[in-house]
Amino acid sequence: METESVMVFPDIKPVAPVHLLVVPKRHILEFSQLTQFDKLDKFAWDGVMAVVLKLIKQNGLEKKGYRIVINGGGAQAIDHLHVHLQGGVHL
């Protein structure tokens, strides 16, 4: 899936039946950099959250359980903000 502000693709090492990465096209190093939203960062973040909500519904995760994960502070494998949507089992 792709929108004007977001790309989505499967994680290469999934930990759940559904494990998708939701990535803003605008480069934001990590979540903590969003403390001072400018208009473009807000547009990117709103796009990420809208897509996450859509994916939860598309994958029927409302009753199957899901987790939304954001790594940061050096815990992320890549230096670009991204959200993991994991679901399909009771986590």
Side-chain angles (χ1 to χ4, degrees):
M1 168 188 276
E2 185 171 354
T3 70
E4 181 181 353
S5 62
V6 175
M7 293 185 66
V8 178
F9 48 89
D11 193 288
I12 61 172
K13 294 181 182 176
V15 298
V18 175
H19 189 164
L20 302 169
L21 298 180
V22 183
V23 184
K25 291 180 181 178
R26 175 173 167 78
H27 178 66
I28 302 167
L29 182 64
E30 67 169 70
F31 184 74
S32 65
Q33 288 192 334
L34 293 174
T35 57
Q36 298 177 4
F37 275 125
D38 66 22
K39 278 187 168 184
L40 291 175
D41 287 345
K42 181 159 178 26
F43 176 73
W45 183 248
D46 288 350
V48 167
M49 290 295 98
V51 168
V52 167
L53 287 169
K54 188 174 195 174
L55 291 168
I56 289 168
K57 292 176 184 175
Q58 281 182 348
N59 287 280
L61 300 178
E62 301 100 319
K63 294 181 181 172
K64 294 181 184 176
Y66 63 88
R67 181 177 288 152
I68 299 167
V69 178
I70 302 170
N71 296 310
Q76 67 274 30
I78 60 168
D79 289 331
H80 186 97
L81 176 65
H82 58 284
V83 173
H84 295 257
L85 175 60
Q86 302 165 349
V89 295
H90 293 286
L91 302 167

